[in-house]
Amino acid sequence: MSERTWSIGELAEEFDTTLRTIRFYEDRGLLAPERQGTTRVFHARDRVRLQLILRGKRLGFTLDEIAHVINMYDETPGERGQLAFLIADIGKRREALLAKRRDVNEALAELDDLEERCRADLDRLSDSR
Amino acid sequence: MSERTWSIGELAEEFDTTLRTIRFYEDRGLLAPERQGTTRVFHARDRVRLQLILRGKRLGFTLDEIAHVINMYDETPGERGQLAFLIADIGKRREALLAKRRDVNEALAELDDLEERCRADLDRLSDSR
DNA sequence: GCATAGCTTGACGCTTACGTAAACGTCATG
DNA sequence: CATGACGTTTACGTAAGCGTCAAGCTATGC
Protein backbone atom coordinates (compact mmCIF):
# COMPACT_ATOMS: atom_id res chain seq x y z
CA MET A 1 0.00 0.00 0.00
CA SER A 2 2.48 2.61 -1.20
CA GLU A 3 1.10 6.12 -0.74
CA ARG A 4 0.74 8.19 -3.83
CA THR A 5 2.97 11.23 -4.16
CA TRP A 6 2.94 14.23 -6.48
CA SER A 7 5.53 16.31 -8.27
CA ILE A 8 5.45 20.07 -8.07
CA GLY A 9 4.32 20.18 -11.69
CA GLU A 10 1.41 17.83 -11.10
CA LEU A 11 0.13 19.90 -8.20
CA ALA A 12 0.56 23.13 -10.11
CA GLU A 13 -1.51 21.78 -12.96
CA GLU A 14 -4.16 20.18 -10.77
CA PHE A 15 -4.81 23.37 -8.83
CA ASP A 16 -4.20 25.74 -11.70
CA THR A 17 -1.28 27.52 -10.15
CA THR A 18 2.44 27.74 -10.97
CA LEU A 19 5.67 26.13 -9.85
CA ARG A 20 6.87 29.52 -8.74
CA THR A 21 3.87 29.98 -6.49
CA ILE A 22 4.27 26.61 -4.82
CA ARG A 23 7.96 27.21 -4.27
CA PHE A 24 7.12 30.61 -2.84
CA TYR A 25 4.73 29.03 -0.35
CA GLU A 26 7.47 26.66 0.71
CA ASP A 27 9.82 29.59 1.10
CA ARG A 28 7.31 31.25 3.37
CA GLY A 29 7.07 28.14 5.49
CA LEU A 30 3.59 27.12 4.39
CA LEU A 31 4.78 23.93 2.77
CA ALA A 32 7.63 21.58 3.58
CA PRO A 33 7.59 18.77 1.02
CA GLU A 34 9.94 15.85 1.26
CA ARG A 35 13.06 15.93 -0.87
CA GLN A 36 14.48 13.16 -2.94
CA GLY A 37 17.85 14.61 -3.75
CA THR A 38 16.93 18.18 -4.62
CA THR A 39 13.57 17.32 -6.07
CA ARG A 40 10.41 18.03 -4.11
CA VAL A 41 8.10 15.13 -3.40
CA PHE A 42 4.62 16.04 -2.21
CA HIS A 43 2.56 13.67 -0.07
CA ALA A 44 -1.18 13.74 0.49
CA ARG A 45 -0.63 15.92 3.54
CA ASP A 46 1.23 18.53 1.51
CA ARG A 47 -1.45 18.42 -1.13
CA VAL A 48 -4.14 19.17 1.44
CA ARG A 49 -2.10 22.02 2.82
CA LEU A 50 -1.78 23.49 -0.65
CA GLN A 51 -5.53 23.28 -1.08
CA LEU A 52 -6.00 25.08 2.21
CA ILE A 53 -3.58 27.79 1.16
CA LEU A 54 -5.26 28.37 -2.18
CA ARG A 55 -8.71 28.46 -0.64
CA GLY A 56 -7.47 30.97 1.91
CA LYS A 57 -6.12 33.10 -0.89
CA ARG A 58 -9.40 32.98 -2.77
CA LEU A 59 -11.07 34.30 0.36
CA GLY A 60 -8.65 37.19 0.56
CA PHE A 61 -6.59 36.10 3.53
CA THR A 62 -2.90 36.96 3.59
CA LEU A 63 -0.29 34.22 3.59
CA ASP A 64 0.53 35.07 7.18
CA GLU A 65 -3.07 34.54 8.25
CA ILE A 66 -3.20 31.32 6.27
CA ALA A 67 0.00 30.11 7.88
CA HIS A 68 -1.58 30.77 11.25
CA VAL A 69 -4.64 28.68 10.42
CA ILE A 70 -2.66 25.87 8.85
CA ASN A 71 -0.57 25.59 11.95
CA MET A 72 -3.74 25.35 14.00
CA TYR A 73 -4.60 22.18 12.12
CA ASP A 74 -1.13 20.81 12.50
CA GLU A 75 -0.23 21.40 16.08
CA THR A 76 -3.16 19.88 17.94
CA PRO A 77 -1.47 20.43 21.29
CA GLY A 78 -1.87 17.96 24.10
CA GLU A 79 -1.70 20.42 26.90
CA ARG A 80 -4.71 21.92 28.56
CA GLY A 81 -3.83 25.60 28.33
CA GLN A 82 -2.79 25.28 24.72
CA LEU A 83 -6.07 23.64 23.89
CA ALA A 84 -7.99 26.48 25.47
CA PHE A 85 -6.00 28.98 23.43
CA LEU A 86 -6.60 27.02 20.28
CA ILE A 87 -10.33 26.89 20.89
CA ALA A 88 -10.39 30.64 21.45
CA ASP A 89 -8.47 31.04 18.22
CA ILE A 90 -10.95 28.88 16.39
CA GLY A 91 -13.67 31.18 17.63
CA LYS A 92 -11.93 34.20 16.15
CA ARG A 93 -11.40 32.49 12.83
CA ARG A 94 -15.03 31.48 12.75
CA GLU A 95 -16.07 35.07 13.37
CA ALA A 96 -13.92 36.21 10.46
CA LEU A 97 -15.47 33.61 8.19
CA LEU A 98 -19.00 34.42 9.29
CA ALA A 99 -18.35 38.09 8.63
CA LYS A 100 -17.12 37.16 5.18
CA ARG A 101 -20.25 35.13 4.55
CA ARG A 102 -22.41 38.07 5.57
CA ASP A 103 -20.53 40.22 3.08
CA VAL A 104 -21.07 37.63 0.38
CA ASN A 105 -24.76 37.40 1.14
CA GLU A 106 -25.22 41.15 1.06
CA ALA A 107 -23.43 41.36 -2.26
CA LEU A 108 -25.58 38.57 -3.64
CA ALA A 109 -28.77 40.27 -2.50
CA GLU A 110 -27.76 43.52 -4.19
CA LEU A 111 -26.90 41.62 -7.31
CA ASP A 112 -30.36 40.09 -7.29
CA ASP A 113 -31.91 43.53 -6.97
CA LEU A 114 -29.90 44.80 -9.87
CA GLU A 115 -30.87 41.89 -12.08
CA GLU A 116 -34.51 42.36 -11.23
CA ARG A 117 -34.33 46.00 -12.25
CA CYS A 118 -32.63 45.00 -15.48
CA ARG A 119 -35.30 42.48 -16.30
CA ALA A 120 -37.98 45.05 -15.58
CA ASP A 121 -36.24 47.40 -17.99
CA LEU A 122 -36.15 44.68 -20.61
CA ASP A 123 -39.84 44.06 -20.16
CA ARG A 124 -40.62 47.73 -20.65
CA LEU A 125 -38.61 47.70 -23.84
CA SER A 126 -40.54 44.68 -25.09
CA ASP A 127 -43.91 46.19 -24.27
CA SER A 128 -43.27 49.49 -26.00
CA ARG A 129 -42.18 47.73 -29.18
CA MET B 1 -34.31 69.01 2.94
CA SER B 2 -30.64 69.58 2.38
CA GLU B 3 -28.82 66.30 1.80
CA ARG B 4 -26.19 65.37 4.29
CA THR B 5 -22.61 65.31 3.08
CA TRP B 6 -19.38 63.95 4.55
CA SER B 7 -15.78 65.04 4.70
CA ILE B 8 -13.03 62.63 3.78
CA GLY B 9 -12.04 62.43 7.44
CA GLU B 10 -15.54 61.54 8.57
CA LEU B 11 -15.78 58.70 6.07
CA ALA B 12 -12.31 57.43 6.95
CA GLU B 13 -13.26 57.27 10.60
CA GLU B 14 -16.71 55.78 10.02
CA PHE B 15 -15.37 52.94 7.92
CA ASP B 16 -12.11 52.53 9.77
CA THR B 17 -9.88 53.36 6.85
CA THR B 18 -7.53 56.24 6.04
CA LEU B 19 -7.57 59.47 4.07
CA ARG B 20 -4.78 58.05 1.91
CA THR B 21 -6.84 55.03 1.01
CA ILE B 22 -9.89 57.04 0.04
CA ARG B 23 -7.80 59.39 -2.07
CA PHE B 24 -6.17 56.37 -3.67
CA TYR B 25 -9.57 55.00 -4.64
CA GLU B 26 -10.44 58.32 -6.21
CA ASP B 27 -7.15 58.24 -8.07
CA ARG B 28 -8.05 54.84 -9.41
CA GLY B 29 -11.40 56.14 -10.62
CA LEU B 30 -13.50 54.32 -8.03
CA LEU B 31 -14.72 57.51 -6.41
CA ALA B 32 -15.42 60.96 -7.80
CA PRO B 33 -16.56 63.18 -4.94
CA GLU B 34 -17.74 66.71 -5.51
CA ARG B 35 -15.28 69.51 -4.86
CA GLN B 36 -15.90 72.71 -3.02
CA GLY B 37 -12.78 74.57 -3.96
CA THR B 38 -10.15 71.89 -3.52
CA THR B 39 -11.90 70.12 -0.68
CA ARG B 40 -13.69 66.85 -1.34
CA VAL B 41 -17.36 66.69 -0.45
CA PHE B 42 -18.88 63.24 -0.31
CA HIS B 43 -22.57 62.69 -0.92
CA ALA B 44 -24.62 59.66 0.06
CA ARG B 45 -23.89 58.12 -3.33
CA ASP B 46 -20.13 58.37 -2.78
CA ARG B 47 -20.52 56.94 0.67
CA VAL B 48 -22.34 53.91 -0.70
CA ARG B 49 -19.66 53.43 -3.32
CA LEU B 50 -17.00 53.49 -0.64
CA GLN B 51 -18.88 50.84 1.29
CA LEU B 52 -19.05 48.69 -1.83
CA ILE B 53 -15.34 49.11 -2.41
CA LEU B 54 -14.41 48.17 1.14
CA ARG B 55 -16.68 45.16 1.13
CA GLY B 56 -15.19 44.04 -2.15
CA LYS B 57 -11.74 44.35 -0.65
CA ARG B 58 -12.74 42.32 2.37
CA LEU B 59 -13.85 39.58 0.01
CA GLY B 60 -10.52 39.60 -1.74
CA PHE B 61 -11.50 41.23 -5.02
CA THR B 62 -9.02 43.48 -6.75
CA LEU B 63 -9.76 47.15 -7.23
CA ASP B 64 -10.17 46.52 -10.95
CA GLU B 65 -12.84 43.91 -10.33
CA ILE B 66 -14.53 46.20 -7.85
CA ALA B 67 -14.48 49.05 -10.33
CA HIS B 68 -16.16 46.76 -12.83
CA VAL B 69 -18.96 45.87 -10.42
CA ILE B 70 -19.47 49.42 -9.25
CA ASN B 71 -19.88 50.56 -12.80
CA MET B 72 -22.51 47.87 -13.28
CA TYR B 73 -24.58 49.55 -10.61
CA ASP B 74 -24.03 52.97 -12.07
CA GLU B 75 -24.59 52.56 -15.74
CA THR B 76 -27.99 50.88 -15.89
CA PRO B 77 -28.05 51.15 -19.67
CA GLY B 78 -31.29 51.81 -21.51
CA GLU B 79 -30.47 49.85 -24.60
CA ARG B 80 -31.53 46.30 -25.17
CA GLY B 81 -28.18 44.72 -26.07
CA GLN B 82 -26.44 46.46 -23.20
CA LEU B 83 -29.01 45.14 -20.80
CA ALA B 84 -28.46 41.60 -22.00
CA PHE B 85 -24.71 42.01 -21.51
CA LEU B 86 -25.25 43.40 -18.05
CA ILE B 87 -27.47 40.50 -17.07
CA ALA B 88 -24.88 38.04 -18.30
CA ASP B 89 -22.29 39.91 -16.30
CA ILE B 90 -24.43 39.72 -13.21
CA GLY B 91 -24.56 35.98 -13.70
CA LYS B 92 -20.78 35.77 -13.70
CA ARG B 93 -20.46 37.90 -10.61
CA ARG B 94 -23.04 35.76 -8.86
CA GLU B 95 -21.07 32.64 -9.71
CA ALA B 96 -17.93 34.18 -8.24
CA LEU B 97 -19.77 35.05 -5.05
CA LEU B 98 -21.38 31.64 -4.76
CA ALA B 99 -17.98 30.01 -5.19
CA LYS B 100 -16.68 32.23 -2.45
CA ARG B 101 -19.54 31.24 -0.20
CA ARG B 102 -18.80 27.58 -0.82
CA ASP B 103 -15.21 28.20 0.18
CA VAL B 104 -16.36 29.93 3.35
CA ASN B 105 -18.70 27.09 4.21
CA GLU B 106 -16.04 24.46 3.69
CA ALA B 107 -13.63 26.38 5.87
CA LEU B 108 -16.29 26.73 8.56
CA ALA B 109 -17.04 23.02 8.48
CA GLU B 110 -13.39 22.14 8.91
CA LEU B 111 -13.14 24.62 11.73
CA ASP B 112 -16.07 22.92 13.43
CA ASP B 113 -14.35 19.57 13.08
CA LEU B 114 -11.20 20.92 14.59
CA GLU B 115 -13.01 22.43 17.52
CA GLU B 116 -14.84 19.18 18.16
CA ARG B 117 -11.58 17.29 18.26
CA CYS B 118 -10.16 19.87 20.64
CA ARG B 119 -13.11 19.57 22.98
CA ALA B 120 -12.79 15.81 22.90
CA ASP B 121 -9.15 16.17 23.86
CA LEU B 122 -10.12 18.48 26.70
CA ASP B 123 -12.66 15.96 27.94
CA ARG B 124 -10.08 13.20 27.95
CA LEU B 125 -7.79 15.41 29.97
CA SER B 126 -10.55 16.09 32.48
CA ASP B 127 -11.46 12.41 32.82
CA SER B 128 -7.92 11.24 33.44
CA ARG B 129 -7.45 13.85 36.11
C1' DG C 1 -3.16 87.54 14.90
C1' DC C 2 -1.94 83.32 15.66
C1' DA C 3 -2.34 78.58 16.86
C1' DT C 4 -4.78 74.42 15.94
C1' DA C 5 -7.45 71.24 13.22
C1' DG C 6 -8.43 69.58 8.96
C1' DC C 7 -7.94 69.69 4.27
C1' DT C 8 -4.84 69.69 -0.19
C1' DT C 9 -1.17 67.78 -3.66
C1' DG C 10 3.02 65.57 -4.70
C1' DA C 11 6.48 62.15 -4.23
C1' DC C 12 9.04 58.56 -2.54
C1' DG C 13 8.93 54.10 0.21
C1' DC C 14 7.39 49.65 1.41
C1' DT C 15 5.18 45.04 1.77
C1' DT C 16 2.88 41.21 -0.41
C1' DA C 17 2.79 37.88 -3.79
C1' DC C 18 4.39 36.39 -7.06
C1' DG C 19 6.65 36.74 -12.61
C1' DT C 20 10.55 36.02 -15.23
C1' DA C 21 15.04 35.09 -16.80
C1' DA C 22 19.56 32.83 -16.24
C1' DA C 23 22.13 28.95 -15.57
C1' DC C 24 22.27 24.49 -14.38
C1' DG C 25 21.22 19.13 -13.05
C1' DT C 26 18.80 14.60 -14.36
C1' DC C 27 16.47 11.30 -16.68
C1' DA C 28 14.23 8.97 -20.67
C1' DT C 29 13.76 8.48 -25.48
C1' DG C 30 14.77 8.30 -30.41
C1' DC D 1 24.61 11.06 -27.49
C1' DA D 2 21.85 14.76 -27.85
C1' DT D 3 17.38 16.51 -27.35
C1' DG D 4 13.58 17.44 -24.75
C1' DA D 5 10.81 17.31 -20.52
C1' DC D 6 11.11 18.04 -16.00
C1' DG D 7 13.23 19.62 -12.07
C1' DT D 8 16.59 22.94 -9.32
C1' DT D 9 18.55 27.72 -7.22
C1' DT D 10 19.50 32.65 -7.46
C1' DA D 11 18.16 36.97 -8.25
C1' DC D 12 16.17 40.87 -10.12
C1' DG D 13 11.53 42.83 -11.69
C1' DT D 14 6.80 44.23 -10.97
C1' DA D 15 1.90 45.28 -9.93
C1' DA D 16 -1.30 46.29 -6.24
C1' DG D 17 -2.34 48.81 -2.35
C1' DC D 18 -1.44 51.63 0.34
C1' DG D 19 2.09 54.36 4.34
C1' DT D 20 4.59 58.30 5.22
C1' DC D 21 6.59 62.43 4.94
C1' DA D 22 6.85 67.36 3.15
C1' DA D 23 5.00 71.67 2.18
C1' DG D 24 1.27 74.32 1.88
C1' DC D 25 -3.78 76.29 2.02
C1' DT D 26 -8.04 77.51 4.95
C1' DA D 27 -11.17 78.24 8.49
C1' DT D 28 -12.25 78.68 13.34
C1' DG D 29 -11.55 79.75 18.22
C1' DC D 30 -9.18 82.28 21.74
Side-chain angles (χ1 to χ4, degrees):
Chain A
M1 46 171 285
S2 55
E3 266 185 18
R4 151 128 212 228
T5 63
W6 290 264
S7 73
I8 188 171
E10 288 170 335
L11 288 188
E13 173 147 355
E14 177 176 0
F15 298 120
D16 194 32
T17 180
T18 69
L19 308 192
R20 178 65 178 93
T21 296
I22 295 178
R23 292 190 189 116
F24 181 71
Y25 293 160
E26 177 178 359
D27 212 59
R28 293 292 303 272
L30 297 178
L31 292 173
E34 188 200 336
R35 297 287 184 129
Q36 282 176 10
T38 64
T39 302
R40 293 167 177 83
V41 177
F42 294 82
H43 293 258
R45 171 177 170 283
D46 304 309
R47 189 166 162 277
V48 169
R49 285 176 74 99
L50 179 56
Q51 286 181 286
L52 285 177
I53 297 167
L54 294 174
R55 194 180 65 197
K57 284 250 68 189
R58 287 197 299 271
L59 292 177
F61 292 109
T62 69
L63 290 185
D64 282 355
E65 292 175 299
I66 294 169
H68 185 77
V69 175
I70 281 191
N71 291 334
M72 288 180 24
Y73 284 97
D74 258 26
E75 296 166 358
T76 315
E79 197 208 328
R80 207 194 186 74
Q82 306 274 345
L83 272 171
F85 266 118
L86 181 48
I87 289 180
D89 226 356
I90 292 173
K92 290 180 195 168
R93 301 301 337 178
R94 182 168 12 238
E95 273 316 305
L97 286 169
L98 290 174
K100 219 152 271 223
R101 194 164 64 181
R102 281 194 298 274
D103 277 338
V104 168
N105 286 335
E106 282 180 29
L108 278 170
E110 287 166 17
L111 225 48
D112 287 345
D113 277 12
L114 180 59
E115 179 165 3
E116 206 165 326
R117 288 204 301 277
C118 285
R119 297 205 179 280
D121 286 0
L122 265 184
D123 285 354
R124 283 193 303 93
L125 284 179
S126 294
D127 286 353
S128 62
R129 173 174 29 105
Chain B
M1 48 170 285
S2 55
E3 266 185 21
R4 151 127 211 227
T5 63
W6 290 264
S7 74
I8 187 171
E10 286 170 337
L11 288 188
E13 171 146 357
E14 176 175 0
F15 298 120
D16 194 31
T17 181
T18 69
L19 308 193
R20 179 66 178 91
T21 297
I22 296 178
R23 292 191 189 116
F24 180 71
Y25 293 160
E26 177 178 359
D27 214 58
R28 293 292 303 272
L30 298 177
L31 293 173
E34 188 201 336
R35 298 289 184 128
Q36 282 176 11
T38 65
T39 302
R40 293 167 177 83
V41 177
F42 294 81
H43 293 257
R45 170 177 170 284
D46 304 307
R47 188 166 162 278
V48 169
R49 286 176 75 100
L50 179 56
Q51 285 181 288
L52 286 177
I53 297 167
L54 295 173
R55 194 180 64 197
K57 284 253 68 191
R58 287 196 301 270
L59 292 177
F61 293 109
T62 69
L63 290 185
D64 283 354
E65 293 174 297
I66 294 170
H68 184 76
V69 174
I70 282 191
N71 290 334
M72 288 178 27
Y73 284 97
D74 257 25
E75 296 167 357
T76 315
E79 195 207 329
R80 206 194 188 74
Q82 307 275 346
L83 271 171
F85 267 119
L86 181 49
I87 288 180
D89 226 357
I90 292 173
K92 291 180 195 168
R93 300 303 328 173
R94 181 166 17 237
E95 273 316 304
L97 286 169
L98 289 175
K100 219 152 273 227
R101 194 165 63 182
R102 282 193 297 274
D103 278 337
V104 168
N105 286 334
E106 283 179 29
L108 278 171
E110 287 164 17
L111 225 48
D112 288 345
D113 277 12
L114 180 59
E115 179 164 4
E116 207 166 324
R117 289 204 301 278
C118 285
R119 296 207 178 279
D121 286 0
L122 266 183
D123 285 355
R124 282 193 304 93
L125 284 180
S126 295
D127 288 352
S128 63
R129 174 173 29 105

